[in-house]
Amino acid sequence: MARTPGTAGRRIDFWTILLLAAAAFALIVRIAAIAEPLGIDQSLWASAVRGMARGQRLYADVWEQRPPGIYFTYLIGFTMFGWTTAAVAWLDIAAATVVTGALFVLGRRLSGDRAGAIAAALYAVFTIPAGLYGNGGFLERSVCETFIVGCVAIAATCAVQLRDRASAVAAIGLGVCGGLAVVYKPNAGLYFPALLAWLAAYAGTKPGGAPWPRVVAIATAASVIPIAGTAIWLWTQGTLGDAKVAIVDFNRFYVAEGFDLASYADVFAHRIFLFMKTDAIWAAGSIASLFAVWRLARERSLPPLAGLAMFWGAATVGVIVVNGARLFPSYFIQAFAPLCLMAAWFFADGAGTSSRRDRVVRAAALVVMAFVLVRSPYLPRAIRWSADDWRAMTGAISTADQLRRFGGYANERGYSALANAEVAAYVRERTQPDDRIFLFGVNGAGIYFLADRLTAHRFLRVNFFVGMGFPEPSFTLAAVTRDLAERRPRYILFEDLHATSAIGRSVSGVVTDPRVIELLSGYELEATIEDFTIYRRR
């Protein structure tokens, strides 16, 4: 592929400054999210990390299926920002800032200031969680994919540095960031070879005079550092075997469950088509990608920025597919960055030729993007939720009213931020710091974090051992109730999910199981708070 020299030396013009100002403003708007409660997954990870900070071991004393990366990140976040729910929002803001800055650098180095500013503005302005998702985006904030994108973005900037000249530091940075992505999710390992492939296509055989095999060897060796370091840490904790069951065995079972290639392909295609119709970045990035494919077929080459977006985007598709049959919205967070890069190339450079046809295509793409933006609820939703969050942050809305926005009483949907907070306060007031509790629930796992009480059993969610069918003796209701009978937690709580699925009914009905009834023989019903039934040990 042809190598196109960058134009980073151009004087920054008015439109570039305006775009960067929009990006900065969009990042500042996100600060209001610190007033929001923890989402379902975020509360689970926060509870696990709080247990780790108090001496519990990951996978042995607090169990969840994700690799350690998300727990390391949350531990750093809570250490820096305090043990409050706001820390998770700050982590999300920090990650968005890193990606925005990296996209600007990538666009600027590979195409020019305007391209960098467009990529940064598109990402910062149109990926605000409050606009992308319902309920302020609190369910999709600070998930594994959030930080994977940051790792890949930094790795890409290192690859661009290596494209221009040999640098051992850049090679190490490329490898370490590629390895860090794997520590969040193993399938993110696809990004590292994709970046190497881009580098091979655009750097020639000797980047800056350094032998190409040496660059690859350094980067590959560096990619092992985070993975090996994590494995050594698990080994020193005595939990390497438990981690293998969680990260490898359970996830392999989880990903394969219910997977059918034909139906998956159909659902995946419909999901992508829906994004293209309803999301401005997807609309612009998709048109730009089609233009890039057409140009590649015609000229047999692409400029470096378009090539990077294509390699990155192809790896993203692979990563999403490997996640399995469950196409959660958070999986697609990883697509925004390469789509923004492709759109930035398209608007700033790819269609900026003397060809009238190219100018018409670019103008049409802008019209389509504007049409999609006007029809989508993105901007009204982002403005409404951010404004309410700002009022909550400044005290204009009470804490109870703020929590009701994320699930109040009698909603019959299995999640209530208000009920979670009240149950946590109830338990905290009636227990000592060293008392153990246990929740037979799924969505309320944040109670451990909010109450600052340790779990009496490693499973923070009941669906790990009820209704899942994972073939491991300890992943059964019989094993869990037997352990709880020995440990005798101060409180045992049950959560009604109001779910119609088979696993949801199993979880909500676990209180009627004979083994649970026997466990409760030493307990008495003390209180009922919304979807939670609370039993205290006699």
Side-chain angles (χ1 to χ4, degrees):
M1 294 187 178
R3 173 176 171 177
T4 302
T7 56
R10 293 186 305 182
R11 189 174 66 178
I12 299 178
D13 60 14
F14 169 77
W15 290 108
T16 298
I17 295 174
L18 185 64
L19 288 167
L20 292 177
F25 177 77
L27 292 173
I28 292 173
V29 166
R30 297 170 189 246
I31 295 176
I34 65 173
E36 296 186 3
L38 296 178
I40 296 171
D41 284 342
Q42 294 85 344
S43 62
L44 171 69
W45 302 326
S47 291
V49 167
R50 188 56 183 151
M52 292 167 62
R54 294 186 57 187
Q56 291 186 311
R57 296 170 301 160
L58 184 61
Y59 305 120
D61 302 317
V62 283
W63 195 94
E64 212 265 336
Q65 69 201 77
R66 272 80 167 185
I70 192 70
Y71 305 102
F72 294 156
T73 303
Y74 272 49
L75 187 59
I76 293 172
F78 286 123
T79 301
M80 291 177 57
F81 302 113
W83 291 93
T84 68
T85 57
V88 173
W90 283 117
L91 283 173
D92 192 83
I93 296 166
T97 303
V98 168
V99 176
T100 300
L103 292 181
F104 172 71
V105 172
L106 291 170
R108 185 173 186 268
R109 291 286 298 272
L110 296 178
S111 182
D113 293 331
R114 181 74 63 83
I118 291 174
L122 284 174
Y123 188 85
V125 173
F126 295 115
T127 63
I128 299 174
L132 280 178
Y133 312 105
N135 300 306
F138 82 123
L139 297 176
E140 292 81 12
R141 189 176 288 113
S142 287
V143 295
C144 295
E145 286 74 15
T146 303
F147 307 107
I148 289 173
V149 176
C151 292
V152 179
I154 297 174
T157 61
C158 294
V160 170
Q161 176 70 17
L162 287 169
R163 166 185 173 266
D164 296 333
R165 66 182 181 86
S167 168
V169 174
I172 293 172
L174 169 60
V176 168
C177 290
L180 281 174
V182 175
V183 178
Y184 286 101
K185 278 193 174 182
N187 54 353
L190 294 175
Y191 288 116
F192 178 64
L195 292 176
L196 287 181
W198 175 84
L199 190 56
Y202 288 93
T205 57
K206 290 186 177 182
W212 173 249
R214 180 186 174 191
V215 172
V216 176
I218 293 175
T220 303
S223 70
V224 179
I225 295 175
I227 303 170
T230 300
I232 292 172
W233 176 77
L234 291 169
W235 177 72
T236 60
Q237 296 286 307
T239 59
L240 193 57
D242 294 313
K244 186 260 182 185
V245 172
I247 300 170
V248 179
D249 299 339
F250 187 89
N251 277 313
R252 187 167 55 189
F253 171 86
Y254 179 79
V255 168
E257 188 180 38
F259 184 85
D260 176 74
L261 183 59
S263 60
Y264 179 86
D266 180 67
V267 174
F268 187 85
H270 280 83
R271 186 67 59 87
I272 296 299
F273 185 58
L274 176 64
F275 287 145
M276 293 169 61
K277 294 190 301 180
T278 59
D279 187 279
I281 291 178
W282 276 89
S286 299
I287 295 173
S289 298
L290 291 174
F291 183 87
V293 171
W294 173 78
R295 177 165 172 174
L296 179 61
R298 185 185 65 174
E299 301 180 6
R300 300 293 188 271
S301 66
L302 279 177
L305 182 58
L308 176 61
M310 188 166 288
F311 277 103
W312 189 343
T316 298
V317 172
V319 170
I320 294 172
V321 170
V322 175
N323 272 317
R326 302 167 180 84
L327 289 173
F328 295 119
S330 58
Y331 293 169
F332 294 88
I333 289 173
Q334 301 169 91
F336 287 119
L339 286 172
C340 287
L341 286 179
M342 187 65 83
W345 162 76
F346 177 67
F347 288 125
D349 176 70
T353 67
S354 59
S355 169
R356 180 182 178 186
R357 176 192 56 206
D358 291 350
R359 292 196 297 272
V360 169
V361 171
R362 181 167 60 172
L366 286 171
V367 172
V368 170
M369 184 179 177
F371 178 75
V372 169
L373 184 61
V374 169
R375 289 192 62 203
S376 76
Y378 178 83
L379 286 178
R381 191 160 53 191
I383 293 171
R384 183 178 71 254
W385 280 92
S386 297
D388 287 343
D389 285 342
W390 278 107
R391 285 194 286 270
M393 190 175 69
T394 56
I397 300 176
S398 68
T399 301
D401 287 340
Q402 171 72 343
L403 291 174
R404 286 190 186 94
R405 298 172 61 223
F406 303 89
Y409 282 173
N411 58 24
E412 295 189 353
R413 67 183 186 185
Y415 178 83
S416 168
L418 180 61
N420 286 359
E422 291 191 0
V423 170
Y426 182 93
V427 171
R428 184 173 59 250
E429 292 168 0
R430 290 163 176 80
T431 56
Q432 298 300 315
D434 292 333
D435 286 338
R436 301 295 182 98
I437 65 174
F438 185 75
L439 169 68
F440 282 91
V442 176
N443 298 335
I447 289 173
Y448 299 107
F449 174 82
L450 296 173
D452 196 12
R453 296 295 180 263
L454 299 179
T455 176
H457 198 282
R458 64 174 180 163
F459 292 126
L460 298 175
R461 284 180 175 171
V462 69
N463 59 307
F464 292 141
F465 57 90
V466 172
M468 181 64 70
F470 180 59
E472 181 76 18
S474 61
F475 286 67
T476 62
L477 180 60
V480 172
T481 53
R482 184 171 58 248
D483 292 340
L484 290 174
E486 295 176 358
R487 297 168 187 174
R488 303 180 71 237
R490 176 67 62 184
Y491 277 105
I492 295 179
L493 304 91
F494 296 87
E495 179 184 18
D496 185 0
L497 298 180
H498 298 287
T500 58
S501 63
I503 188 171
R505 291 194 301 269
S506 298
V507 170
S508 297
V510 72
V511 69
T512 62
D513 188 280
R515 290 160 293 190
V516 175
I517 293 175
E518 181 181 356
L519 172 66
L520 293 176
S521 62
Y523 290 77
E524 60 184 359
L525 177 63
E526 184 173 275
T528 298
I529 300 178
E530 185 55 10
D531 296 326
F532 296 92
T533 308
I534 304 173
Y535 289 82
R536 182 183 180 91
R537 192 183 70 219
R538 291 194 184 99

